[in-house]
Amino acid sequence: MIPEEAAAQRFGHFAPRPMPIRPMPAPRPLPPPRPLPPPGPRPIPPHPYPYVRPYPVPFHPYPVPFPYAYHPFVPYVWGPTWYPVGFFLATLTTAAIVISVENTNYNYDDGVYYVKESSGYKVVPAPLGATISSLPSGYSTITVSGTEYYYYGGTYYAKDTSKYKVVNAPVGAVVTHLPEGAEEKTIDDQKYMIYNNVYYQPISKDGQDSYVVVQGK
């Protein structure tokens, strides 16, 4: 043994050996891109336990002391300032006021209720609970079971101290006119008119074509 190597081995010192150089592995190919989903909402897979929706509320008309008498429906207009539900106006008159019902603001003008939209005002059904200080011109008074109601443009009002409040259509109320937007539906071979979720049966009262409320909301 060479003396230098013997001394290095004795004291734990060794000359460094050159490390072998390994070739770098080739890069793996990238996976192909996933196809994009088709545009539109993603279809919802069927649930293993589908929810059975309840049947709609059955129609049970309230018995009224008026025989069924069909007559063609003719929409009624309550005057030049009255507009049907869905009608759109760019501006309102200066007489319009703001009515708040359940934290929602409505604009009211002469028997018609509006909601504000980006470019104007849209006619909506009268909100239940809304109160006005005076009734619009052209209203009619209806008595049902000893209680007086006031009808105008498909809306029913009841006296509330010194004001008038929008209420549900009372069953048994007889009106001579329905507004534009009422729809005809045949049930058990009889035709009914439906307006604002209220069912009306066509009748003839005192020789005049009329409608009686047989089922409310």
Side-chain angles (χ1 to χ4, degrees):
M1 179 180 297
I2 302 173
E4 290 80 0
E5 292 182 358
Q9 183 177 6
R10 180 180 178 184
F11 295 101
H13 299 290
F14 298 91
R17 296 180 180 180
M19 297 295 294
I21 300 175
R22 297 181 181 179
M24 295 294 294
R28 296 182 181 180
L30 296 176
R34 295 183 180 180
L36 296 176
R42 181 180 298 178
I44 301 176
H47 197 277
Y49 305 100
Y51 170 71
V52 179
R53 296 185 178 275
Y55 290 101
V57 177
F59 175 67
H60 295 303
Y62 183 83
V64 292
F66 303 101
Y68 171 81
Y70 175 76
H71 49 81
F73 168 62
V74 179
Y76 186 77
V77 176
W78 272 263
T81 60
W82 181 87
Y83 302 99
V85 172
F87 195 84
F88 186 85
L89 289 177
T91 59
L92 299 178
T93 68
T94 56
I97 61 174
V98 176
I99 297 177
S100 181
V101 181
E102 294 184 356
N103 298 324
T104 301
N105 288 334
Y106 299 86
N107 295 87
Y108 171 82
D109 189 9
D110 199 17
V112 184
Y113 295 81
Y114 305 84
V115 291
K116 183 73 171 67
E117 294 194 345
S118 59
S119 57
Y121 301 86
K122 184 178 180 180
V123 179
V124 296
L128 289 176
T131 57
I132 55 177
S133 57
S134 61
L135 294 169
S137 177
Y139 74 90
S140 57
T141 303
I142 303 169
T143 302
V144 181
S145 301
T147 302
E148 281 193 349
Y149 297 90
Y150 309 93
Y151 177 76
Y152 180 87
T155 302
Y156 295 85
Y157 297 88
K159 188 74 172 176
D160 183 26
T161 60
S162 61
K163 295 186 177 182
Y164 301 89
K165 178 183 291 187
V166 176
V167 296
N168 284 317
V171 173
V174 177
V175 297
T176 55
H177 303 294
L178 291 178
E180 179 181 335
E183 299 180 356
E184 188 177 90
K185 185 175 183 179
T186 301
I187 303 175
D188 296 334
D189 298 328
Q190 290 191 2
K191 295 184 182 296
Y192 294 87
M193 299 303 301
I194 305 175
Y195 181 76
N196 197 20
N197 295 327
V198 178
Y199 286 79
Y200 294 85
Q201 174 184 307
I203 63 171
S204 178
K205 182 181 180 182
D206 300 330
Q208 185 177 14
D209 291 341
S210 304
Y211 301 91
V212 58
V213 177
V214 293
Q215 181 169 311
K217 293 183 179 181

